[in-house]
Amino acid sequence: MKRILILGAGTAGTMMVNHLSRKIDTAKWTITVVDEHATHYYQPGFLFIPFGIYSPDQVRKPKAQFIPSGVELVQEKVEVIETDKNSVTLSDGRTLEYAILIIATGARIVPEETEGLAGQHWHDTAFDFYTIEGATALRDRLNGWDGGNLVVHIAEMPIKCPVAPLEFIFLADDFFRRRKMRDRVKLTLVTPLSGAFTKPIASGVLGHILEEKEIDLVPDFEVESVDGSARRISSYGGKSVEYDLLASIPTNMGDSLIERSGLGDDLNFVPTHKNTLQAKVKENVFVIGDATDVPASKAGSVAHFESDVLTENILRFIEGKPLAEDFDGHANCFIESGNRKGFLIDFNYDVEPVEGTFPFAGIGPFGLLKETTMNHLGKLAFRPMYWYLLLKGRPMPFITTQLTLRGKKISKEAQQWRP
Amino acid sequence: MATMKYAGISVEVDDEGYMTDHSQWSEDIAQAIAAEEGIKLTDDHWQVINILHDQMNTKEQLPTIRSLKKLGVETKRLYELFPGGPVKKASRVAGYLKPASCV
């Protein structure tokens, strides 16, 4: 028996387990998945926790529930990957050999990367909302808060779900309006980007929404340090912004396992072929989800589209066929904008988010790059779909792996856009 | 696409003024582009520009602020040398396209 070894049972790893367990020849192949944690978190749900919209119980389930029978789930930390030996060593000393390795170890926040951020004020006046601990601590803090400066701050790109900081600040605006205290809260988004978002057309539309909601934008802010006692963040360019509460999106990095194994770039992301998802280090190593260095968003939808391509490529690799260069960087993201409305954006490596309808041209029901109630309902409907369709590797209705231009208002600029 | 004249030489640039053909680059052109950015090139600037050339020649990839730090260029100093967006400005002066932005 040959082994396909999958490291990480998060969104991407779990989808690969489910896809491959249905497709491979079980007389010849066995699948092992290793993850040190027992709980699977629906990470897009973290955003809603600080505002009391979701409870922690709504965003967590046991990982084992999503691993099909016949697949070996090993709950252990991985110490090191040795690609020259086709093996990994676990923390308990066991060695697992593989014929094919799939790295799906994700990304995590590293507040320690910013001077002063992870100090004594962490989860007291400075918070993250990318972990269950951060999101619940922020919820508790917001509950008794009587107003002041709330600053949302992005340390550096890339980050998981690049729309989340915007969604957070839109939801905060909504939260304080409902509590009739919006006039006592100043909302500011501080970002290293030159505008509200990474892509020009969407950045313009979303920037306009910030203005409408009276949210200040501080662009081009490259953070140098956080002074937790003075409650001030300072940039290399000599600017500073004061806060009463800081909702920070710290530096995102790949797993420290990648660094220990010498497989990553400066941020521990694994150099990966952007269309085949094969690792550049060795031909029997593949990478999926947030763990890659491909220039696509770090988002569950991206991992979902990648999983279709990677499943096909694993089968091709087994049969000795050339890999398909089919991954186009497709991302599909709902953006909550508060007041029970939302946006939807659909884009890839080459086509930036534009206006239109989705998934049916001219019909919708979702409006692209437009603020609608239907988009908000789509976002809420996504949580059960995540648990019951996406993780199990079942197709999402009407949504294609590659981006389609049908229903999109494509200008020349949007098509020629280059990252 | 447009053509600009730097140091008496016609140079192809994109809409944002980044050179599209690195083979046209010269030290004189770098001085002229830097002047346009309000920068007078010193030895410290050249150290950064040389690292960019080196990384592009060996890895076909522009360094990041983080990797420049590992190569001995303190981030604070980098921002002093190329205020605003250091890697973007240094790339423009060094004759490369704008570095791939984030997604």
Side-chain angles (χ1 to χ4, degrees), chain A residues 39-42 45-46 48-50 52-61 132-133 135-137 139-140 383 387:
Chain A
T39 305
H40 187 114
Y41 286 100
Y42 173 57
F46 288 167
F48 294 101
I49 288 177
I53 300 169
Y54 283 173
S55 69
D57 277 344
Q58 286 177 298
V59 301
R60 62 185 168 210
K61 290 183 192 288
I132 190 74
E133 296 81 13
T136 49
R139 175 197 63 193
D140 297 344
R383 186 171 55 95
W387 294 122

Side-chain angles (χ1 to χ4, degrees), chain A residues 113 156-157 162 193-194 198-199 222 224 236 251 266-267 295-297 419, chain B residues 14 64-67 70 75-76 79 84 88 97-103:
Chain A
E113 285 289 309
E156 63 184 301
M157 301 299 290
L193 300 172
S194 303
T198 54
K199 318 277 178 176
E222 305 278 354
E224 181 181 6
Y236 284 109
T251 301
D266 293 331
L267 288 166
S297 290
Chain B
D14 68 8
T64 59
I65 290 174
R66 197 174 285 273
S67 57
K70 284 187 185 166
T75 307
K76 185 86 184 161
Y79 275 93
K88 274 184 254 178
L97 287 170
K98 192 174 177 178
S101 79
C102 20
V103 277

Side-chain angles (χ1 to χ4, degrees), chain A residues 24 36 134 163 167 175-176 188 193 221 228 231 235 408 413:
Chain A
I24 54 154
E36 64 180 301
V163 297
E167 296 185 278
F175 177 83
F176 295 123
T188 309
L193 300 172
F221 190 99
R231 293 201 299 271
S235 78
K408 291 189 172 68
E413 291 75 26

